Amino acid sequence: MRIHTIRPSGRLLLTLVLVLGLLLPVGSPKGYAAPAVPFGQLKVQGNQLAGQSGQAVQLVGMSSHGLQWYGDFVNKSSLQWMRDNWGINVFRAAMYTAEDGYITNPSVKDKVKEAVQASIDLGLYVIIDWHILYDGNPNTYKTQAKAFFQEMATLYGNTPNVIYEIANEPNGNVSWAEVKSYAEEVITAIRAIDPDGVVIVGSPTWSQDIHLAADNPVSHSNVMYALHFYAGTHGQFLRDRITYAMNKGAAIFVTEWGTSDASGNGGPYLPQSKEWIDFLNARKISWVNWSLADKAESSAALLPGASTTGGWTDAQLSESGKWVRDQIRQATGGGSGNPAAPAAPTGLSATAGNAQVSLTWNAVSGATSYTVKRATTSGGPYSNVATGLTATNYTNTGLTNGTTYYYVVSASNSAGNSANSAQASATPASGGASTGNLVVQYKVGDTSATDNQMKPSFNIKNNGTTSVNLSGLKLRYYFTKDGTADMNASIDWAQIGASNISAAFASLTGSNTDTYVEISFSAAAGSIPAGGQTGDIQLRMYKDDWSNFNEANDYSYDGAKTAFADWNRVTLHQNGTLVWGTTP
């Protein structure tokens, strides 16, 4: 029980003693009783978030965008819609500190209070997010952070709803030692008021260095560590860090993730997102998607002009929003909008190789798996050749060269199966790479086929049982120069390090190519472990005179591949031997 003393003008002394053992939530009427949250008071047990009774808990929900920009979407009506229709059990209120946020505009905390009160009224958990970004080092505004969280703990520390996220994404040159020092002070300030609330701590490199936190954790109990990812940029290496951190005893909460790349745009990369969500769900790792906003970017859940108060139809949801909604429903078993059977897949493409055909198709909203069917006569009858696929690509191997194969794909979810896709066909032929353990995946980084740059991205997967040295590999991408100017290449970014990769051009005669670029790797690039991959390799090419290309008919180009898919029109040589792909 807290006693507040008011002394106006130094004359009147009024002591207000709270005689009730219950503090009413801010703005609640007399006699108010908040709905119970589903798991009671949360706590951290080992590397797992747990409920009041000790059961393992997974929270799943949405994050706001910056409250100073998109705060209109954060209100009781929108949260109630997401609770009842989507099935969320947690909401994150992202209060930026910089960029017209709290430091220069303290009134933005009123929107935080609105979000917290709405969550209490609706029986939701709520994350109060001190959203550092461009301020990089959380110590920059440590004094303000301590005062803010003391205020939040005083207002809401008596409820089981509130979770404190005290440092969104430390970045720049900040070290874990600096972040840990900040966390120790801020958590101490919170604990003086709220002794058992769960606190989430970010880590350097935009909350990706959880391995450093796991090696040297903060000293307080009921602490978790934030992990942030964007499916188009971050892959297996970051999932490996989660495994490492949890094996060290750290509890992980994915308080922000997007279906886009790290910029918020690109994609949405739904197969990569599904790989992430399956990984998190299997480990009961809580996750919150970015973002509840109608911003014109791929990661936004809403389309521009969507209602600010919920009630969203599919026509008001982005492709990402529809997909994430369905993932929330499946993870929580909640929401009143039981998904219908999915639509038939579109965009089925079949590409022949040596004794194999590679298939790709577009993701279907609400689909949880796909079935590939094959026939040797046009129109069927079709037989299943692969079921339960979660990716939107498949390579059918062991085929007879010179035989034409006909394919369709269907989608499935808990409500049933879709109709078949339109048919695609291909005829395998010799001259391509033999089926092996190395696979090249491709996606287009720029869907404009007629501008002055080409931006293909690659990922090399090792499906074998032994590691493969990258220095023995050479990857080739085939195109036409559309002119006589000299070519230039740059590796804009690579997970294995751009400095470990080089590119060179060579001439070639072919119907859809006169040039190829060869990507090679230095010894410093290391190796691809068994079952591993290189991760994203982002190549950019342009001419000395910056004239335009016409990529539409280039051999290796496919503007529909905006997410990584196996692509045998990019070849891979290992120690001089063709091991993947078909040459033009």
Side-chain angles (χ1 to χ4, degrees), residues 391-584:
T392 56
N393 60 84
Y394 174 73
T395 299
N396 188 199
T397 59
L399 303 178
T400 302
N401 287 334
T403 298
T404 300
Y405 296 90
Y406 302 88
Y407 295 89
V408 293
V409 177
S410 63
S412 304
N413 64 15
S414 59
N417 304 318
S418 76
N420 290 334
S421 69
Q423 179 179 273
S425 63
T427 305
S430 60
S434 60
T435 302
N437 293 325
L438 293 173
V439 174
V440 176
Q441 295 188 321
Y442 158 84
K443 68 179 179 181
V444 64
D446 178 0
T447 56
S448 173
T450 56
D451 59 13
N452 60 9
Q453 297 184 76
M454 294 189 287
K455 297 179 181 178
S457 292
F458 311 104
N459 177 40
I460 306 172
K461 298 179 68 176
N462 177 12
N463 294 328
T465 58
T466 59
S467 64
V468 173
N469 290 327
L470 279 163
S471 60
L473 302 182
K474 294 186 184 296
L475 181 151
R476 292 178 180 177
Y477 178 91
Y478 303 87
F479 62 97
T480 54
K481 288 174 59 176
D482 300 307
T484 59
D486 288 338
M487 292 291 302
N488 298 280
S490 173
I491 304 297
D492 283 345
W493 187 84
Q495 187 173 313
I496 59 175
S499 62
N500 298 322
I501 305 171
S502 59
F505 295 95
S507 297
L508 189 69
T509 300
S511 59
N512 289 327
T513 181
D514 58 24
T515 308
Y516 65 83
V517 59
E518 185 172 80
I519 304 298
S520 56
F521 306 88
S522 69
S527 61
I528 314 175
Q533 56 190 354
T534 60
D536 203 353
I537 299 170
Q538 297 177 8
L539 172 67
R540 179 167 53 90
M541 296 180 285
Y542 55 95
K543 290 181 275 191
D544 275 350
D545 62 2
W546 288 96
S547 59
N548 288 346
F549 296 98
N550 181 5
E551 299 179 75
N553 293 319
D554 284 356
Y555 180 79
S556 294
Y557 175 80
D558 186 345
K561 287 184 169 55
T562 56
F564 274 127
D566 297 358
W567 188 227
N568 66 5
R569 292 198 173 198
V570 176
T571 60
L572 186 68
H573 291 73
Q574 183 179 29
N575 300 320
T577 300
L578 182 65
V579 294
W580 173 264
T582 303
T583 58

Side-chain angles (χ1 to χ4, degrees), residues 26 28 77 221 289:
V26 176
S28 300
S77 293
S221 60
N289 178 254

